[in-house]
Amino acid sequence: SITAQAVDSFLDLFAVSITAFAVRIADEPADKEHPFGHGKVEGIAAIIQSILIFTAGGWIIYSAIERIQSGAGIEMSEAGIAVMLVSVLASILLSRHLMKVSRSTDSLALEASAQNINADIYSAAGVLVAMILIRITGYSIIDPIVGIGVSFFIMKTAVSVLKKSFAELIDRQLPEEEEEIIVSTIEEHTTQLAGYHKVRTRKAGNQRFVDLHLLLPKNMSLEDAHNMADHIEHDIE
């Protein structure tokens, strides 16, 4: 179970490196080749993290089954308890900081890292409990069983991040509560509009894209129509 945590933490190091690279690329402004910016790089980075986490979970399950079959024992459980206690505390501090930053920057890649580290808190706590139980009872089989449980928890986190990443890459619409804000903003000007339709939304990294068709009165001047469009755009922002 400690090996499971070690592998997961090693992959965290690699995954966070990918995140750092992705956030830097996603922050670059739009250019000629990428007129909508580079925000989707964060989604790609989150998918890579998910695959790494899922693979680690599978490997840990395989190793745990091998240990159950071989009946390997556990030594130095006191050292294991101490190490896992430090791991839990470090994970709590790091995940809280990452989540805070991901919310303030609206970064999917950082959120994926925060969720990954947050999963470490629960899995490390489980391993810590397992080490204590082994120390009390002497039943070493608790170790691979907890390792398997940790792996399934890790893989569940990977699936959750994967689903969210794919939703962004295939241009899923913004959350319902955000779309309601957009619609209510437009409808505040219904007395000046002839109507509107085809409201479309999507998200890439920390950027949101909204487009729609405005219908304006036929006697409105082109200048007034342009000003109205700018006004609604400003209100939505």
Side-chain angles (χ1 to χ4, degrees):
S1 56
I2 292 180
T3 302
Q5 284 298 119
V7 171
D8 187 37
S9 295
F10 179 77
L11 283 172
D12 286 347
L13 182 64
F14 184 58
V16 168
S17 300
I18 294 172
T19 300
F21 176 75
V23 169
R24 185 179 67 82
I25 296 296
D27 199 42
E28 292 182 2
D31 53 36
K32 185 178 179 181
E33 293 183 350
H34 307 92
F36 290 100
H38 303 78
K40 287 192 176 183
V41 172
E42 290 199 19
I44 295 170
I47 286 175
I48 293 172
Q49 287 195 56
S50 302
I51 293 170
L52 286 172
I53 298 164
F54 202 83
T55 303
W59 178 83
I60 294 162
I61 290 172
Y62 175 77
S63 300
I65 291 171
E66 276 196 332
R67 287 185 67 83
I68 291 172
Q69 290 174 339
S70 65
I74 299 291
E75 296 178 0
M76 295 177 64
S77 59
E78 292 87 353
I81 291 169
V83 167
M84 293 318 302
L85 185 59
V86 172
S87 179
V88 169
L89 293 173
S91 295
I92 288 172
L93 293 173
L94 181 56
S95 67
R96 284 184 176 180
H97 180 66
L98 275 173
M99 189 60 75
K100 181 181 178 182
V101 175
S102 72
R103 285 170 180 166
S104 64
T105 59
D106 198 20
S107 168
L108 179 61
L110 285 176
E111 183 184 343
S113 290
Q115 293 286 4
N116 187 9
I117 304 297
N118 194 50
D120 290 348
I121 297 172
Y122 298 101
S123 58
V127 175
L128 177 61
V129 171
M131 291 295 100
I132 293 171
L133 289 175
I134 290 169
R135 183 71 182 85
I136 294 171
T137 65
Y139 293 133
S140 295
I141 196 170
I142 293 173
D143 178 60
I145 291 172
V146 170
I148 290 173
V150 167
S151 301
F152 279 118
F153 189 84
I154 290 170
M155 292 165 82
K156 181 183 176 183
T157 302
V159 170
S160 176
V161 172
L162 197 63
K163 286 170 65 178
K164 193 166 186 178
S165 304
F166 270 120
E168 185 164 308
L169 289 177
I170 61 174
D171 289 337
R172 185 178 179 180
Q173 68 183 41
L174 293 177
E176 187 176 342
E177 58 270 20
E178 292 188 16
E179 290 219 336
E180 285 176 357
I181 294 171
I182 294 167
V183 169
S184 65
T185 301
I186 300 167
E187 290 183 347
E188 286 176 2
H189 304 85
T190 50
T191 56
Q192 299 156 290
L193 302 175
Y196 69 94
H197 59 270
K198 291 189 177 180
V199 178
R200 300 188 303 176
T201 63
R202 65 187 178 91
K203 187 172 180 287
N206 63 353
Q207 293 182 313
R208 288 161 173 75
F209 296 90
V210 182
D211 66 75
L212 63 139
H213 291 187
L214 283 180
L215 304 179
L216 299 163
K218 62 183 180 180
N219 59 346
M220 181 180 282
S221 70
L222 183 60
E223 183 180 6
D224 288 342
H226 183 76
N227 290 337
M228 175 56 65
D230 282 349
H231 181 72
I232 291 176
E233 181 181 337
H234 177 74
D235 284 359
I236 289 174
E237 287 181 20

